Amino acid sequence: MEMRKAYAAELEKLMRADQSIVTVDADVGKALGTDNFKNVFGARCIDVGIAEQNMIGVAAGLSSYSFKPVCQSFAPFVTRNVCDQITMNLCFTGLKALLVGADPGISAELNGATHMAMEDISVMRAIPGIAVFEPADEIELKAALPVLIDCPETVYMRMYRKELPVVHSPDYEFSFGKIDVLRRGKDVALFTSGIFVRDALNAAQTLFAEGVSCSVINVHTLKPADAKGIAEELKKVKVALCVENHNVYGGLYSVISEINSSSPAPRRVGALGVRDRFGLRGTLPELKRELGLTERDIARKVKALLDDLVD
């Protein structure tokens, strides 16, 4: 199932059960699968048009009256385009909303560079009183959504709209702020999230056949990060690699490096992400190849880290 369909189905179920949940849409209902909500929930679905700054202001007003607003737009427009409104209208005032940023980073694909938020995690992480979350599949998304809506602070969820390979079992139990160790190994820790979780698992399997043992850790909550859990996984391996759909500045690599730097025995941590550049137009496989973010690139980077360790 496409992630947007899983999101819309779970959100509809939650809205039927909780009358305080409302959506504030910046003209992306069709893109996120919630276009029919206005026929189901009426006035509880507000479309402000292509006016994201106003969307945040409306959400803050609704939150002040104890509603639970869910704001929807594409990732760059619900983060960098409205950074001041999120900071002052929501976080500074202690109000809250769930901010859904669709197709972050290279997952914007054919919409091109203007729609590629390569810096959304770093922007949101820097704002006090906001959490940052990214699901790896529809199972995790459905399990997390009610938790995120009821979170006591504003949450930014970056979400790929299309189908993602399933990485969790049907009995998966979501724990906000805690890492998910999907595979255990003794040589390398692969920290990742979102669209790269399956790629990291596939690369780990390839490396295992070559004698390299990798852990794969899904860091779905990027803020507040699971500092204790991440530090424990770092202690178990020789080196680590962060694989992310984001600029290598301010995202997952920064999260892991911040935690690693305070360790009494830090590990070498490598970065595989967008190298401080704007995006380009293409399909997801094309973009991964162009930017050096394929499964083969992951495996190659792991072996280079281990080789450098030996040298």
Side-chain angles (χ1 to χ4, degrees), residues 8-9 13 53 76 78-79 83 107 121 166 172 179 191 213 268:
K13 183 173 74 173
Q53 294 173 338
V78 79
T79 54
C83 183
S107 68
I121 295 173
V166 172
Y172 168 70
I179 56 172
F191 293 98
S213 176
R268 182 173 181 186

Side-chain angles (χ1 to χ4, degrees), residues 229-243:
I230 290 167
E232 285 298 315
E233 294 306 316
L234 284 167
K235 286 196 302 185
K236 297 173 183 177
V237 296
K238 301 171 186 175
V239 296
L241 177 64
C242 301
V243 185

